[in-house]
Amino acid sequence: MRYISTRGEAPALGFEDVLLTGLATDGGLYVPESLPHFSLEEIRSWRGLSYSELAFNVMHPFVDDAIPADDFRKMLDETYSVFSHQAVAPLVQLDSNEWVMELFRGPTLAFKDFALQLLGRLLDYVLEKRKQHVVIMGATSGDTGSAAIEGCRRCEHVDIFILHPHERVSEVQRRQMTTVTGDNIHNIAVRGNFDDCQRMVKESFGNQSFLGGKTQLAAVNSINWARIMAQIVYYFQASLALGGPDRSMAFSVPTGNFGDIFAGYLAKKMGLPISQLVIATNRNDILHRFMSGNKYEQHQLEHTLSPSMDIMVSSNFERLLFDLHGRDGQAVKTLLENATKGPVSIEDYRWKHARKLFDSDAVDDKATCDTIREIQEKNEYLLDPHTAIGVRAARNCRRDSSVPMITLGTAHPAKFPDAIAESGVSVKPELPAHMADLFEREERYTVLDNNIAGVQEFITKHWKNA
């Protein structure tokens, strides 16, 4: 399996190099040169498999011979054994043909654990094999940071630097990052928003000279292909649990950076019958504005009750644009360069092609709270604000009530107590036992100005071989 850049000017790489590289040298994102495709008969034969067995079948073609099959199976068994539910990604029914898939049963209570618990093991394996050290640099709107730290903190060959927007993540999200001890873990609170943090990460990957050639950066954000690869699996899992592949499924996905829903798009291209993908956003609705009106335009970022989706520059959207433009890297590069100067659109026929699969909705804070309260009253089931946005968008955009609609439950409600309180429900979400003392643990983080030079200087001073 070879991987190519969405901007067409970087060399094709194998899985190991893509794992360590993150952003391509031309500024693009890596995607597989070709996708594996599974027949309905093959998918049907996977019914009854454990989650880790299914994950092996779906992901192994992407890894190919970079990791021996037995070693990869062992990684997957270890990755998903730490989840708190035997099904790993259990389904909860809300209505006659409406479901929530709980993707928050991992160590940090968010869907990011599915990929980042695996990514840590992949990095450890490849870096040990190469006797190489890397610096992980990542940006988080809330959940990626804690999942990355938890997944990679035991890696012997990495230093971890996670940037989060100062005072713009929930307290639980912040403490999950800043209370983890380890000499190789560094949390940076940037006086800015998530897009500022993400921009610094991308610029640093584009020019790593500040590291003096002594090490290289590795990505944990969803620009890293391994993140997308791992998220494809639970679409297959949900489908198989509800009668797939002999019936089609619809999914509603709370998304800011477009990675989680892009994984669903890939699952469909790999042979899984999916009739609809709903892009569920909050007031930071650049994806909704594009999908509903073919206009890609950045607005001022707003702070909401769903902070993990407070994103205006959706990195993984570039991967979809690459496909919509017939994998023409130059066309994608030109389009995104123009998008930094003002609103852009794509050719109408390309946009209409995307609309065959995708719908979208933007849900404000009031509607989010209303949904949390409604589901609690009718189902005695508590949603976090991001999942509530997914449920509301699913109901607003649903095309066919006979098709099962599955909302991806992206986080545990205990991570967002302020949003739960604002919704007016009487239930207070409790942290699970392994996090019961979270508010008593000592925090460690550094607040820095929204300045890339200062952030890079901090990294060069604090990685272990500096």
Side-chain angles (χ1 to χ4, degrees):
M1 176 72 74
R2 304 287 290 173
Y3 294 84
I4 58 175
S5 169
T6 52
R7 303 201 183 179
E9 296 175 356
L13 300 178
F15 179 78
E16 278 191 21
D17 289 319
V18 163
L19 178 73
L20 297 178
T21 300
L23 204 65
T25 53
D26 59 3
L29 280 67
Y30 278 106
V31 293
E33 204 164 37
S34 61
L35 282 175
H37 189 274
F38 306 115
S39 67
L40 296 183
E41 182 180 7
E42 190 171 7
I43 298 170
R44 198 178 296 121
S45 73
W46 297 343
R47 289 174 179 166
L49 293 182
S50 69
Y51 192 90
S52 62
E53 290 171 330
L54 176 63
F56 178 84
N57 288 342
V58 172
M59 284 193 277
H60 189 251
F62 296 113
V63 177
D64 203 13
D65 59 356
I67 301 173
D70 288 347
D71 291 343
F72 190 49
R73 286 183 192 275
K74 182 181 178 183
M75 276 186 218
L76 294 170
D77 288 342
E78 291 173 351
T79 294
Y80 300 112
S81 68
V82 302
F83 282 58
S84 66
H85 196 289
Q86 281 289 95
V88 182
L91 287 160
V92 172
Q93 191 165 9
L94 296 183
D95 209 333
S96 58
N97 212 14
E98 184 182 15
W99 309 78
V100 168
M101 190 174 206
E102 295 187 338
L103 301 179
F104 49 78
R105 298 299 190 127
T108 71
L109 313 183
F111 79 97
K112 310 290 178 77
D113 287 323
F114 278 83
L116 287 165
Q117 284 291 309
L118 176 61
L119 181 61
R121 290 170 170 85
L122 289 169
L123 286 172
D124 227 16
Y125 183 94
V126 171
L127 292 171
E128 174 61 30
K129 175 181 169 183
R130 294 185 171 199
K131 302 301 179 186
Q132 183 179 348
H133 180 278
V134 297
V135 169
I136 288 175
M137 185 181 182
T140 184
S141 56
D143 291 328
T144 289
S146 58
I149 289 169
E150 182 62 32
C152 302
R153 65 190 177 96
R154 296 181 184 86
C155 296
E156 295 181 9
H157 303 281
V158 304
D159 282 282
I160 309 169
F161 294 83
I162 299 295
L163 284 60
H164 73 267
H166 185 43
E167 297 180 339
R168 292 197 176 194
V169 299
S170 78
E171 186 176 5
V172 172
Q173 288 177 310
R174 188 192 72 239
R175 286 179 173 273
Q176 282 185 289
M177 294 185 282
T178 61
T179 59
V180 180
T181 58
D183 292 339
N184 67 332
I185 298 167
H186 307 275
N187 283 285
I188 301 171
V190 175
R191 293 186 180 98
N193 58 42
F194 170 76
D195 287 341
D196 295 323
C197 297
Q198 183 168 251
R199 174 182 49 77
M200 289 188 205
V201 170
K202 287 185 175 180
E203 288 183 13
S204 297
F205 270 86
N207 183 359
Q208 301 186 28
S209 59
F210 70 99
L211 295 171
K214 299 175 183 177
T215 186
Q216 73 173 72
L217 294 180
V220 290
N221 284 70
S222 52
I223 60 173
N224 191 313
W225 166 255
R227 283 277 306 273
I228 304 296
M229 173 184 81
Q231 290 167 188
I232 297 170
V233 179
Y234 43 71
Y235 287 91
F236 282 85
Q237 171 84 344
S239 175
L240 288 165
L242 296 177
D246 297 319
R247 62 194 305 207
S248 189
M249 301 289 153
F251 292 88
S252 178
V253 186
T255 189
N257 224 3
F258 205 75
D260 209 11
I261 197 164
F262 184 71
Y265 165 79
L266 293 178
K268 178 177 175 63
K269 292 193 71 177
M270 291 164 66
L272 188 68
I274 296 175
S275 60
Q276 183 185 17
L277 289 172
V278 178
I279 300 167
T281 69
N282 59 20
R283 291 201 310 274
N284 298 297
D285 61 350
I286 187 170
L287 293 172
H288 169 60
R289 285 183 281 112
F290 173 83
M291 202 55 67
S292 60
N294 192 13
K295 188 176 183 181
Y296 190 81
E297 180 183 21
Q298 295 179 28
H299 289 176
Q300 184 70 33
L301 196 71
E302 297 186 47
H303 186 47
T304 73
L305 292 174
S306 46
S308 298
M309 289 156 42
D310 288 348
I311 297 170
M312 193 59 70
V313 181
S314 299
S315 293
N316 285 289
F317 192 55
E318 179 170 337
R319 286 179 159 125
L320 178 65
L321 290 172
F322 185 57
D323 270 13
L324 292 177
H325 286 82
R327 311 203 113 196
D328 181 344
Q330 187 58 52
V332 171
K333 180 180 178 181
T334 301
L335 180 73
L336 293 175
E337 286 175 350
N338 290 337
T340 64
K341 305 168 189 173
V344 295
S345 299
I346 64 175
E347 292 91 340
D348 193 58
Y349 75 94
R350 300 187 195 277
W351 176 73
K352 287 179 177 177
H353 179 72
R355 286 301 313 271
K356 290 178 182 178
L357 177 63
F358 289 99
D359 286 293
S360 65
D361 195 20
V363 180
D364 64 19
D365 282 351
K366 182 183 181 302
T368 301
C369 289
D370 290 346
T371 306
I372 293 172
R373 187 171 59 256
E374 177 187 342
I375 297 299
Q376 175 61 29
E377 289 172 352
K378 293 184 176 180
N379 298 73
E380 294 188 347
Y381 185 72
L382 193 58
L383 301 173
D384 92 286
H386 306 81
T387 308
I389 287 172
V391 169
R392 176 58 69 99
R395 293 178 173 184
N396 289 346
C397 297
R398 193 168 191 177
R399 298 177 183 176
D400 186 347
S401 61
S402 69
V403 175
M405 173 62 79
I406 304 151
T407 294
L408 300 192
T410 53
H412 194 289
K415 300 188 80 164
F416 305 97
D418 292 344
I420 302 303
E422 189 157 334
S423 73
V425 301
S426 57
V427 180
K428 182 180 179 181
E430 299 291 336
L431 288 166
H434 74 279
M435 286 187 190
D437 65 343
L438 182 65
F439 290 90
E440 300 165 17
R441 302 174 191 172
E442 181 182 354
E443 290 191 85
R444 295 187 312 154
Y445 64 99
T446 303
V447 181
L448 296 178
D449 288 335
N450 183 10
N451 179 284
I452 190 171
V455 170
Q456 290 180 344
E457 182 182 5
F458 181 88
I459 292 173
T460 57
K461 285 182 178 179
H462 289 89
W463 73 281
K464 69 177 65 173
N465 292 327

XYZ file of all heavy atoms in Angstrom, residues 52-53 55-57 59-60 63-79 118 121-122 125:
231
model
N -11.847 -6.312 17.870
C -10.448 -6.327 17.429
C -10.264 -7.209 16.198
O -9.439 -6.903 15.326
C -9.521 -6.764 18.561
O -9.810 -8.079 18.979
N -11.038 -8.294 16.090
C -10.954 -9.140 14.894
C -11.479 -8.389 13.668
O -10.892 -8.455 12.578
C -11.755 -10.424 15.109
C -11.133 -11.371 16.124
C -12.048 -12.523 16.489
O -13.286 -12.349 16.455
O -11.533 -13.607 16.830
N -11.534 -5.157 13.356
C -10.563 -4.096 13.092
C -9.399 -4.619 12.266
O -8.908 -3.930 11.357
C -10.064 -3.502 14.407
N -8.957 -5.828 12.543
C -7.863 -6.405 11.759
C -8.278 -6.552 10.300
O -7.529 -6.170 9.380
C -7.444 -7.764 12.331
C -6.361 -8.430 11.527
C -5.025 -8.101 11.738
C -6.671 -9.351 10.533
C -4.020 -8.692 10.970
C -5.676 -9.936 9.772
C -4.344 -9.602 9.992
N -9.459 -7.084 10.053
C -9.912 -7.306 8.680
C -10.027 -5.992 7.901
O -9.667 -5.921 6.716
C -11.266 -8.023 8.683
C -11.158 -9.479 9.092
O -10.081 -10.068 9.060
N -12.272 -10.066 9.492
N -8.518 -2.974 8.654
C -7.318 -2.136 8.618
C -6.081 -2.803 8.025
O -5.186 -2.103 7.549
C -6.979 -1.648 10.034
C -7.867 -0.535 10.532
S -7.194 0.237 12.032
C -7.788 -0.888 13.277
N -6.009 -4.109 8.053
C -4.764 -4.754 7.639
C -4.340 -4.397 6.212
O -3.137 -4.235 5.944
C -4.838 -6.272 7.802
C -3.519 -6.942 7.584
N -3.252 -7.727 6.474
C -2.382 -6.910 8.318
C -1.998 -8.154 6.541
N -1.445 -7.688 7.638
N -2.136 -1.389 6.324
C -0.829 -1.614 6.949
C 0.039 -2.497 6.068
O 1.259 -2.336 5.979
C -1.015 -2.248 8.348
C 0.326 -2.572 8.989
C -1.815 -1.314 9.250
N -0.628 -3.482 5.420
C 0.011 -4.387 4.472
C 1.184 -5.100 5.145
O 1.050 -5.608 6.256
C 0.426 -3.623 3.226
C 0.583 -4.498 1.993
O 0.139 -5.657 2.034
O 1.157 -4.035 1.000
N 2.357 -5.097 4.532
C 3.483 -5.850 5.075
C 4.380 -4.999 5.971
O 5.460 -5.440 6.372
C 4.305 -6.480 3.950
C 4.856 -5.442 2.967
O 4.535 -4.242 3.124
O 5.600 -5.826 2.046
N 3.948 -3.775 6.312
C 4.771 -2.925 7.179
C 4.861 -3.497 8.592
O 5.858 -3.288 9.290
C 4.188 -1.510 7.228
N 3.823 -4.219 9.017
C 3.792 -4.856 10.334
C 3.293 -6.278 10.135
O 2.235 -6.485 9.524
C 2.858 -4.104 11.305
C 3.320 -2.653 11.481
C 2.807 -4.800 12.660
C 2.357 -1.806 12.288
N 4.021 -7.285 10.624
C 3.554 -8.660 10.491
C 2.150 -8.830 11.064
O 1.794 -8.190 12.069
C 4.586 -9.460 11.296
C 5.821 -8.612 11.278
C 5.334 -7.201 11.295
N 1.355 -9.680 10.425
C -0.051 -9.834 10.803
C -0.217 -10.176 12.282
O -1.088 -9.613 12.960
C -0.704 -10.904 9.927
N 0.596 -11.085 12.813
C 0.451 -11.481 14.216
C 0.747 -10.322 15.158
O 0.081 -10.154 16.192
C 1.379 -12.661 14.533
C 0.900 -13.961 13.914
O -0.267 -14.010 13.458
O 1.698 -14.923 13.857
N 1.742 -9.509 14.815
C 2.056 -8.345 15.646
C 0.921 -7.329 15.608
O 0.580 -6.720 16.632
C 3.354 -7.686 15.180
C 4.581 -8.535 15.459
O 4.484 -9.470 16.281
O 5.638 -8.268 14.852
N 0.327 -7.145 14.439
C -0.760 -6.182 14.316
C -1.996 -6.667 15.082
O -2.669 -5.883 15.765
C -1.080 -5.945 12.848
C -2.008 -4.797 12.592
C -1.787 -3.558 13.175
C -3.110 -4.953 11.761
C -2.656 -2.489 12.940
C -3.973 -3.900 11.518
C -3.745 -2.670 12.114
N -2.278 -7.960 15.001
C -3.397 -8.517 15.771
C -3.203 -8.287 17.269
O -4.141 -7.920 17.987
C -3.528 -10.021 15.512
C -4.090 -10.408 14.164
C -4.221 -11.923 14.077
N -4.482 -12.381 12.742
C -5.693 -12.443 12.187
N -6.754 -12.061 12.895
N -5.853 -12.885 10.956
N -1.975 -8.493 17.745
C -1.690 -8.303 19.168
C -1.908 -6.853 19.573
O -2.481 -6.562 20.628
C -0.250 -8.728 19.466
C 0.121 -8.620 20.936
C 1.562 -9.034 21.174
C 1.939 -8.861 22.655
N 3.367 -9.202 22.898
N -1.471 -5.906 18.739
C -1.694 -4.481 19.014
C -3.179 -4.175 19.151
O -3.605 -3.444 20.051
C -1.137 -3.634 17.865
C 0.327 -3.333 17.938
S 0.705 -2.175 16.591
C 2.298 -2.818 16.129
N -3.964 -4.710 18.232
C -5.398 -4.436 18.243
C -6.062 -5.053 19.475
O -6.925 -4.423 20.104
C -6.041 -4.961 16.965
C -5.600 -4.250 15.684
C -6.099 -4.994 14.449
C -6.102 -2.814 15.668
N -5.669 -6.258 19.835
C -6.219 -6.888 21.040
C -5.906 -6.042 22.267
O -6.771 -5.816 23.130
C -5.640 -8.298 21.228
C -6.182 -9.302 20.217
O -7.229 -9.006 19.602
O -5.556 -10.361 20.043
N -4.664 -5.550 22.363
C -4.273 -4.722 23.506
C -5.007 -3.386 23.493
O -5.434 -2.886 24.540
C -2.756 -4.487 23.480
C -1.931 -5.731 23.765
C -0.443 -5.485 23.568
O -0.074 -4.406 23.039
O 0.354 -6.363 23.932
N -5.161 -2.804 22.314
C -5.814 -1.497 22.191
C -7.233 -1.531 22.723
O -7.636 -0.686 23.534
C -5.829 -1.049 20.719
O -4.489 -0.807 20.289
C -6.661 0.217 20.533
N -4.438 3.079 19.569
C -3.707 2.293 18.573
C -2.485 3.042 18.078
O -1.399 2.456 17.909
C -4.624 1.947 17.405
C -3.973 1.213 16.227
C -3.399 -0.130 16.668
C -4.977 1.022 15.094
N 0.632 2.639 20.132
C 1.268 1.325 19.964
C 1.974 1.218 18.617
O 3.058 0.618 18.513
C 0.218 0.224 20.127
C -0.278 0.090 21.579
C -1.489 -0.832 21.699
N -1.784 -1.122 23.086
C -2.511 -0.356 23.888
N -3.032 0.771 23.411
N -2.727 -0.692 25.147
N 1.380 1.781 17.584
C 2.028 1.782 16.271
C 3.336 2.568 16.305
O 4.363 2.120 15.770
C 1.089 2.380 15.222
C -0.127 1.547 14.815
C -1.093 2.393 13.993
C 0.294 0.311 14.020
N 6.045 0.682 18.167
C 6.546 -0.448 17.385
C 7.526 0.028 16.308
O 8.643 -0.494 16.182
C 5.363 -1.180 16.736
C 5.747 -2.407 15.947
C 5.732 -3.670 16.536
C 6.111 -2.318 14.602
C 6.075 -4.801 15.806
C 6.457 -3.437 13.878
C 6.434 -4.672 14.480
O 6.778 -5.786 13.759
